[in-house]
Amino acid sequence: VMGKAKFFLGEAGKGAQMKLVVNMIMGSMMASFAEGIVLAEEIGLEKEDLLEVIGLGAINSPMYNLKGPNMIQRSYPTAFPLKHQQKDLRLALQLGEKLAQITPMAAAANELYKGV
């Protein structure tokens, strides 16, 4: 079960691999989202406006809607510890390496999460 739906993904282990892929995407997108919030603030844009513009566009995401209001207030309640996010990024990178699949964005996010 992933969220509210059930999926048959194949042989044993495919569910865990799906979770790694999803968490790899989430880790990369949240790192970029955080950088965007800081850049917007640094150039004098209202962070609330940024959230509204994102919410009205093609990149809108439930994760941005959930985390964004806290992030712009510099409040970071823990729902998924960063050490677990980094672990999943590391495992996804290892999976990619086994398949000779390059994942430079996930690798960059992984390095970022290592430092937190």
Side-chain angles (χ1 to χ4, degrees):
V1 177
M2 296 266 178
K4 298 177 183 176
K6 295 178 183 177
F7 297 90
F8 178 76
L9 302 172
E11 63 192 50
K14 292 297 181 190
Q17 289 175 335
M18 177 66 82
K19 181 181 182 297
L20 288 178
V21 171
V22 169
N23 284 351
M24 179 189 78
I25 293 167
M26 180 181 63
S28 299
M29 79 180 222
M30 292 308 293
S32 293
F33 185 49
E35 288 179 352
I37 290 171
V38 172
L39 181 58
E41 182 177 42
E42 290 295 318
I43 61 176
L45 294 173
E46 295 294 327
K47 295 177 285 187
E48 293 82 0
D49 291 342
L50 174 65
L51 293 184
E52 188 172 352
V53 169
I54 287 172
L56 295 172
I59 67 166
N60 187 28
S61 163
M63 185 62 74
Y64 295 152
N65 295 330
L66 177 70
K67 298 290 187 179
N70 283 328
M71 290 172 71
I72 66 171
Q73 298 299 321
R74 296 181 185 231
S75 173
Y76 307 101
T78 303
F80 185 59
L82 293 179
K83 68 181 181 180
H84 298 310
Q85 176 63 71
Q86 192 275 319
K87 172 193 61 89
D88 284 354
L89 279 164
R90 178 178 45 82
L91 292 173
L93 290 169
Q94 289 172 353
L95 183 60
E97 287 173 9
K98 286 181 187 176
L99 302 169
Q101 172 66 47
I102 61 168
T103 51
M105 296 297 113
N110 184 52
E111 290 303 313
L112 177 70
Y113 286 108
K114 280 182 185 179
V116 178

